[in-house]
Amino acid sequence: MSFLVEENPAKHRFEILVDDALAGFTAYVPRGEVLVFTHTEVDDRFQNMGVGSALIRGTLDQIRERGDRIAVQCPFMRAFIERHPDYADLVIPEP
């Protein structure tokens, strides 16, 4: 099983493809230089396979590469960052 995480700027989200099938996404709202992540969804067919974690990890790695920052309103992403504090430096506090 191969994972590919790509940004879809037209839909304001990062998507994960599993063997070329859309398996899930994490949506954001651009606010200046910051991406505010609001929602993560994984298709039922791909639940409990690590797809959600792979999606968030791939998203955060790409954001780090670009030098961007994020705000997190999505509970799934917030929980992932709490479990992986090495990503906490990407997060700005919500006003």
Side-chain angles (χ1 to χ4, degrees):
M1 183 165 29
S2 69
F3 297 139
L4 174 66
V5 176
E6 295 181 315
E7 184 174 12
N8 183 337
K11 292 188 175 180
H12 292 163
R13 65 189 198 179
F14 284 80
E15 300 173 339
I16 188 165
L17 303 174
V18 176
D19 298 331
D20 297 324
L22 180 62
F25 64 88
T26 186
Y28 62 83
V29 176
R31 188 190 300 148
E33 298 295 309
V34 176
L35 300 180
V36 180
F37 282 87
T38 57
H39 179 70
T40 300
E41 201 170 295
V42 174
D43 188 287
D44 289 343
R45 296 173 300 154
F46 298 99
Q47 294 287 331
N48 303 312
M49 297 169 61
V51 171
S53 292
L55 168 61
I56 299 301
R57 184 179 307 279
T59 297
L60 295 175
D61 287 345
Q62 289 180 47
I63 288 168
R64 173 169 279 140
E65 250 175 55
R66 298 188 328 207
D68 288 345
R69 302 292 297 278
I70 64 171
V72 182
Q73 295 175 351
C74 168
F76 185 82
M77 182 178 277
R78 183 177 296 120
F80 180 91
I81 293 170
E82 285 170 6
R83 286 192 315 275
H84 302 89
D86 46 315
Y87 289 108
D89 62 303
L90 300 175
V91 180
I92 63 159
E94 277 288 314

